[in-house]
Amino acid sequence: MDYRINYAGMDVVFKINDIQNSYLRECVLGALKCFYGHFLQNVGEQPVAMTYRLTDHIDDHFDKNANNVSMTEAAKINDYQCFFAGHGNRFGYEFTNGLLSTIYYSVYTPGRVNNNKQRIVSRDFASNIEKQVAAMYTRGFLHPMQLVNLQNGGTFLHACGFSIGENGYIVAATPGAGKSSLLLSMAFSNKVDVHFISDDFSCVDAKGYAHQIGRSMAIKSHQIQYFPELKDKLQDMSFWQRMQWFTLKKRGLHRYAAPEDIYPNHIATNKKVSGIVYLTNHGKNTFEHTPMSVSDFADLNANMLFSELFLGIQIANNALIIPGYKNLKSVDAFISQTRITIEKIFKDVPCTLVKLPFRSDPRLAFEYLVNQKIIE
């Protein structure tokens, strides 16, 4: 059976029937449901943006009889495929009429015992197979889907997205400045009626509309001190997880939560972006803001996006060192087109730089944005 997530008005299809090991296939399905939450469906009617074929025999999918076959230790290509290996991951891109259409992603089982042993020793209580699916997102999803975005005139942003009424907002931030905590501040406040669009990554189309990308929210353990309501939202924890999160109060832990659990009946998509916010920390104890040029925002977000997609790009780059290979963009072209696309989409959208005290209460940041009418 195929599973789908809606992505910017299209469907991304996950096929798991290529996984021959039945235990592995069952675990991969469970991991997909955990990672994508209620966004993962087994029906869909939208055009297909990309097909993911998860497999435990990836080498069988490379066409050795195609034209222009070349191989290195880390990559092998032909005239319509390129397969890579790196950082413990193996995946392949397949092109149809010059456009990226299918991703092959290799999964494996370390055995039932070792798979669950990883859950016990892991800080985030994830099994080996759940970690593989999470790695697929950062290394085998974001880079190829950004290629699809760019060929359609849209782009990813390393930012969260939400809407108030018909107004869509994008909030980007330097690492740790609090964009995810801002989403939680809005979820547990009655000051404004906010609808969730996306957490961590947002997809904006060529017309400037923000869309869901179908991923669960990442909740961090340090956020509990500001949002005790999360205790009631994170019910499916084991005894040891609850001990680490709520008794020992360890920092640096995270787990996924369905947006519907945090924002019940308040999920939105396809909202025109009417404002951009960029959060950063400074050394003062005050909150400050100033207008920011879209050009500066495009520069910052293109570089930030490259940093987030770096491992996937680095692995795929193994094909670009093979003479004559032209199906993939170079790194320079990828960053340049991303920057140009961001600037083109948001050329008439107001952008605000907001400076926050380091490790300040995220609820105060939300109040500041509302009181200053930066979001409304």
Side-chain angles (χ1 to χ4, degrees):
M1 181 179 292
D2 297 344
Y3 293 85
R4 298 168 177 248
I5 58 170
N6 186 266
Y7 177 89
M10 300 180 286
D11 281 349
V12 174
V13 178
F14 296 95
K15 293 179 176 288
I16 62 173
N17 289 338
D18 283 328
I19 302 174
Q20 296 176 349
N21 183 292
S22 59
Y23 170 71
L24 176 59
R25 186 166 59 248
E26 177 184 340
C27 290
V28 166
L29 177 57
L32 288 170
K33 289 180 177 179
C34 175
F35 193 85
Y36 291 102
H38 78 280
F39 292 113
L40 192 71
Q41 305 290 329
N42 57 16
V43 294
E45 300 177 352
Q46 304 299 324
V48 175
M50 185 73 70
T51 298
Y52 277 78
R53 296 180 64 174
L54 288 85
T55 177
D56 51 0
H57 52 106
I58 192 168
D59 290 332
D60 293 347
H61 296 283
F62 181 75
D63 186 357
K64 297 179 181 179
N65 298 316
N67 295 326
N68 302 314
V69 174
S70 295
M71 297 185 184
T72 68
E73 289 292 331
K76 49 189 176 183
I77 65 171
N78 58 40
D79 60 349
Y80 72 100
Q81 293 176 313
C82 49
F83 280 49
F84 331 97
H87 297 286
N89 302 106
R90 300 177 67 203
F91 51 91
Y93 292 179
E94 187 168 287
F95 296 82
T96 302
N97 297 323
L99 299 178
L100 186 58
S101 58
T102 303
I103 307 295
Y104 296 93
Y105 192 82
S106 178
V107 290
Y108 69 93
T109 174
R112 189 182 299 266
V113 173
N114 287 331
N115 180 51
N116 291 316
K117 183 191 298 183
Q118 180 68 39
R119 189 188 302 280
I120 297 172
V121 301
S122 170
R123 284 173 57 84
D124 53 6
F125 290 87
S127 71
N128 181 286
I129 295 170
E130 287 169 346
K131 286 182 175 292
Q132 291 179 56
V133 170
M136 179 182 73
Y137 178 79
T138 56
R139 302 174 189 182
F141 183 90
L142 293 174
H143 175 239
M145 291 311 301
Q146 177 64 353
L147 296 176
V148 173
N149 292 336
L150 292 173
Q151 71 189 24
N152 291 326
T155 184
F156 272 139
L157 297 169
H158 187 218
C160 69
F162 59 90
S163 64
I164 301 174
E166 291 303 311
N167 295 326
Y169 292 92
I170 292 295
V171 178
T174 52
K179 63 181 184 299
S180 295
S181 293
L182 178 65
L183 280 176
L184 294 174
S185 297
M186 294 185 289
F188 299 126
S189 170
N190 57 8
K191 287 192 173 183
V192 289
D193 188 29
V194 176
H195 283 66
F196 171 91
I197 297 177
S198 57
D199 173 35
D200 201 40
F201 277 88
S202 296
C203 175
V204 180
D205 65 25
K207 296 181 179 180
Y209 285 80
H211 299 268
Q212 297 171 354
I213 63 170
R215 205 197 83 167
S216 294
M217 293 180 69
I219 307 296
K220 289 89 171 178
S221 55
H222 72 268
Q223 293 169 330
I224 298 292
Q225 64 180 309
Y226 302 114
F227 311 108
E229 301 94 334
L230 286 171
K231 291 183 180 180
D232 296 328
K233 303 289 186 179
L234 303 174
Q235 292 292 330
D236 59 337
M237 284 184 168
S238 69
F239 169 80
W240 293 112
Q241 281 180 294
R242 299 187 71 82
M243 177 70 74
Q244 284 195 336
W245 278 65
F246 306 132
T247 304
L248 300 178
K249 298 180 180 179
K250 288 191 174 183
R251 294 183 65 91
L253 305 176
H254 82 275
R255 64 177 286 107
Y256 297 110
E260 187 64 42
D261 292 339
I262 308 298
Y263 278 88
N265 303 313
H266 279 68
I267 309 295
T269 191
N270 196 33
K271 294 292 184 178
K272 180 75 171 178
V273 176
S274 60
I276 298 170
V277 179
Y278 195 98
L279 304 177
T280 190
N281 295 121
H282 65 171
K284 300 180 182 180
N285 292 322
T286 56
F287 292 83
E288 301 175 6
H289 71 279
T290 185
M292 183 183 203
S293 72
V294 173
S295 177
D296 285 346
F297 174 76
D299 285 342
L300 289 170
N301 217 277
N303 291 327
M304 192 182 301
L305 196 63
F306 172 73
S307 295
E308 292 296 317
L309 275 59
F310 174 74
L311 287 179
I313 293 174
Q314 185 186 42
I315 296 169
N317 205 51
N318 287 320
L320 291 175
I321 62 176
I322 299 176
Y325 190 72
K326 301 296 183 184
N327 277 338
L328 284 175
K329 294 179 181 295
S330 69
V331 174
D332 288 344
F334 179 85
I335 298 173
S336 175
Q337 189 176 354
T338 297
R339 182 183 294 109
I340 291 168
T341 301
I342 293 172
E343 194 165 357
K344 180 179 179 181
I345 291 173
F346 296 122
K347 59 183 176 66
D348 297 320
V349 178
C351 184
T352 304
L353 174 65
V354 179
K355 297 179 180 180
L356 317 172
F358 183 64
R359 287 192 174 175
S360 56
D361 187 331
R363 295 168 296 188
L364 298 178
F366 168 56
E367 290 180 5
Y368 181 81
L369 293 177
V370 172
N371 292 339
Q372 297 297 319
K373 300 187 182 303
I374 298 170
I375 59 173
E376 56 184 340

